[in-house]
Amino acid sequence: MSRRTTTAPATALARAGTALPTRALPDALLWAALTAPGVAADLLGLNAPRPWWQTAAGAAVLAAAVAVSRARPVLALGLAAGLGLAASPSLFTLSYGPALSVLAFLLGRRSARTRPVLYAFPAVAAAGTVLVLARHTDPVVEWLVLIGTLLFGAVFPWLAGRYRRQARELVAAGWSRAAQLEREQEIVADRARLRERARIAQDMHDSLGHELSLIALRAGALQVAPGLDAAHRAAAADLREAAASATDRLRDIIGVLRDAAPPGPAPLAPPDDSLPALVDRAAASGLPVRARLPREAALPPLVERAAYRVVQEALTNAAKHAPGAEVTVTVDTGPRETLVTVVSGPAPEDGAPSAGGSGTGLLGLRERVALAGGEFTAGASTDDGGFRVSARLPHEPGPRTGYADAARAGLTMRPDGTDTDALAHARRTARRRFAVPFAVAAAAGAVFVAGAFGWYAYIKAHSVLKPADYAALRVGAPYADVAPLLPDRQVADPPADRDPAGPPAGAECRYYRASGELFVSIEHFRLCFRDGHLVAKSRIPRAGTAGVVEQEEKEWLR
């Protein structure tokens, strides 16, 4: 066995050993908190008397529930619910009710799955219903208490825990999204720097290349000037070749700058970068150029800069590739767009055209015009070797890539490209995921409360024996004479603890309410039957009024 395979289990055990102490203390405190209500209820006499071993068994089951609450939270909830059902079929107990709520909350917080919960809660309700039906009491009241305890003591805490879990997941997702956006911002910044570097390279190509071309053009004109001796002609030729060589080196430097050179400050524009000044400088350098330009037209800055670069590059190419050829510059400005056209004729036969270029200038122009939202074309104009460059520059560029597609799809997009309809839909979905479970549980709770109150009012109203009818009953009367005066139902929870005298031996006693009042302590009547005859009747006073029973009975008998 290799050393790597032997150390891996040891590393896992070491990590588990460090994790156990950190979890043991919180779990121990949780177990103590869940066990305390049961012990306190037994010590204070709030529960029915039970042997000590039942309390100890309940504490042991709670310890097991806490131990598995992290890995098996549904099992932990089932153990707590089992303790509650064992103590009371209605699940409502002071000893284990808090444990049920706490473990239901932990289930919602620790479990991402909802399907097991959809089975667990109905299973608890079904088990409690079977236990309620097995008892010899009114099953409706017990069942309502069972459903109410399960709803408010388990379902709502589970929803609260699930909400807490989803809130934490949203926070974590938000931080993750923030980190991703930060990375994307860095990428965007890098791309912006690259675009700026490419723009700087293009500006260098357009500006310096244009000036060098004009220098070469003047040197060529000087070379063929009449009356110049051979030495001066050779110097002019050398000057022209040096200008051409400088242009080539500039193109190489621009290529390096576009690929890997660090970003630097943007180049300064010439003092006068207007179209008339550009044409005048070219004409002063000996380039035969004719121009038709707009008179003081206020163009958008992006359109004006693009038009200037188109004319500058076209004049540069004409001076370099067709020296001596006539060039026509036309700029037409309308309310919505500007059309720029530069047409150069064929090179004269006595001219000395330079070698073919790399096409970098035209490619840069195409990118610049496209950035302004326009269209660019370049190519031969006539069969005699002329060249034509044209650009259409709209004053209000259309939507960029992504916006047009979104507009065609009927969507709305932010400047960062985010679909606002998708964001709104995501927000609505998140709200619905949070609100729908709570709304369903709240509606179920409202229906349960309304049903429980209605059933409570019904059974209380149909178990009232009027005081006058009670006074008319005679001890020893047969049951057939007593039955017409009795209400439809008996009291399901008789106040036996307030009965001043015990029931007669061998008699079956029934309890009835003396008033239809709800949610208050009232008097009760007890009727005891044996062998089909009424053998005893008595009045059970309401809580705290035993001293006035005889006086009220005398008033009723009047």
Side-chain angles (χ1 to χ4, degrees):
M1 183 179 296
S2 64
R3 182 177 180 181
R4 182 177 181 180
T5 57
T6 55
T7 57
T11 304
L13 289 176
R15 293 178 179 177
T18 56
L20 286 177
T22 59
R23 295 180 179 179
L25 181 58
D27 289 347
L29 294 177
L30 177 61
W31 172 78
L34 298 183
T35 308
V39 176
D42 291 340
L43 294 177
L44 297 176
L46 302 178
N47 288 334
R50 58 176 181 171
W52 66 269
W53 61 267
Q54 290 186 0
T55 304
V61 174
L62 289 178
V66 171
V68 301
S69 62
R70 297 182 184 274
R72 299 289 186 270
V74 178
L75 177 59
L77 177 67
L79 293 176
L83 283 177
L85 292 176
S88 173
S90 63
L91 200 63
F92 183 78
T93 62
L94 296 176
S95 299
Y96 307 116
L100 178 67
S101 299
V102 171
L103 291 176
F105 175 80
L106 293 179
L107 170 61
R109 185 175 179 181
R110 294 174 177 175
S111 177
R113 302 175 58 191
T114 59
R115 186 177 298 274
V117 179
L118 298 179
Y119 297 141
F121 288 143
V124 174
T129 301
V130 172
L131 294 177
V132 167
L133 294 177
R135 301 186 64 181
H136 299 289
T137 58
D138 188 358
V140 178
V141 176
E142 290 276 351
W143 188 82
L144 289 176
V145 174
L146 168 66
I147 299 302
T149 304
L150 184 62
L151 180 63
F152 295 102
V155 175
F156 274 114
W158 172 74
L159 289 175
R162 182 167 177 79
Y163 175 81
R164 176 62 177 169
R165 175 185 177 85
Q166 291 181 347
R168 293 181 63 183
E169 290 178 350
L170 285 178
V171 171
W175 283 110
S176 177
R177 177 61 176 166
Q180 180 181 357
L181 289 177
E182 185 176 356
R183 292 191 297 269
E184 292 177 356
Q185 288 294 334
E186 294 177 356
I187 295 175
V188 170
D190 291 340
R191 294 181 62 183
R193 285 193 293 268
L194 292 176
R195 287 195 298 268
E196 181 66 13
R197 187 160 54 202
R199 188 188 68 81
I200 294 172
Q202 185 62 39
D203 289 342
M204 290 179 59
H205 178 276
D206 295 341
S207 300
L208 298 182
H210 178 72
E211 299 298 333
L212 290 176
S213 298
L214 293 181
I215 293 175
L217 180 63
R218 292 177 180 178
L222 180 62
Q223 182 180 359
V224 297
L228 196 67
D229 57 16
H232 289 166
R233 290 182 186 277
D238 293 340
L239 178 61
R240 183 174 180 277
E241 291 179 359
S245 177
T247 304
D248 294 336
R249 289 197 302 271
L250 176 63
R251 183 172 62 248
D252 296 338
I253 294 173
I254 288 173
V256 174
L257 179 62
R258 281 188 169 185
D259 293 337
L268 297 176
D272 189 1
D273 58 352
S274 63
L275 287 174
L278 176 64
V279 173
D280 292 342
R281 287 198 302 269
S285 299
L287 184 66
V289 55
R290 293 185 302 170
R292 184 166 60 86
L293 305 177
R295 296 181 178 179
E296 300 180 356
L299 300 178
L302 187 62
V303 175
E304 185 176 8
R305 173 59 60 180
Y308 181 89
R309 292 306 184 193
V310 169
V311 175
Q312 185 185 54
E313 179 64 21
L315 293 178
T316 301
N317 290 338
K320 183 170 61 173
H321 301 295
E326 184 177 356
V327 181
T328 303
V329 178
T330 305
V331 179
D332 295 327
T333 301
R336 295 185 178 180
E337 63 181 11
T338 296
L339 298 179
V340 180
T341 305
V342 180
V343 180
S344 61
E349 295 181 358
D350 56 351
S354 64
S358 63
T360 304
L362 294 179
L363 179 61
L365 284 183
R366 191 179 304 277
E367 294 176 355
R368 183 180 294 275
V369 172
L371 183 62
E375 298 177 357
F376 176 81
T377 57
S381 60
T382 59
D383 296 337
D384 56 359
F387 201 80
R388 177 188 179 91
V389 174
S390 63
R392 185 186 64 84
L393 301 171
H395 296 175
E396 295 182 358
R400 297 181 182 179
T401 304
Y403 288 84
D405 298 338
R408 286 192 294 269
L411 301 177
T412 305
M413 299 188 72
R414 291 182 174 180
D416 58 357
T418 304
D419 183 3
T420 54
D421 290 343
L423 285 177
H425 177 71
R427 292 192 182 99
R428 290 194 299 269
T429 301
R431 295 192 194 101
R432 187 164 54 249
R433 289 179 61 187
F434 288 152
V436 169
F438 283 101
V440 171
V447 172
F448 165 77
V449 171
F453 178 79
W455 179 255
Y456 175 80
Y458 173 80
I459 62 175
K460 298 304 181 184
H462 287 74
S463 61
V464 176
L465 178 60
K466 298 179 180 179
D469 293 339
Y470 170 78
L473 297 178
R474 296 291 180 263
V475 176
Y479 179 78
D481 296 340
V482 176
L485 301 177
L486 300 180
D488 298 338
R489 302 183 61 86
Q490 309 177 41
V491 174
D493 49 344
D497 54 338
R498 301 200 306 267
D499 195 349
E508 178 185 356
C509 296
R510 299 180 182 181
Y511 296 83
Y512 301 95
R513 294 166 58 87
S515 171
E517 297 178 89
L518 302 178
F519 306 108
V520 294
S521 178
I522 62 172
E523 292 81 4
H524 288 73
F525 297 129
R526 188 192 68 182
L527 303 179
C528 297
F529 298 90
R530 185 173 56 201
D531 299 331
H533 291 78
L534 179 63
V535 296
K537 71 172 187 176
S538 61
R539 178 184 172 210
I540 302 176
R542 60 180 178 268
T545 59
V548 297
V549 173
E550 296 180 359
Q551 182 65 27
E552 292 185 355
E553 286 183 347
K554 292 178 180 179
E555 293 178 358
W556 288 347
L557 295 175
R558 290 179 181 177

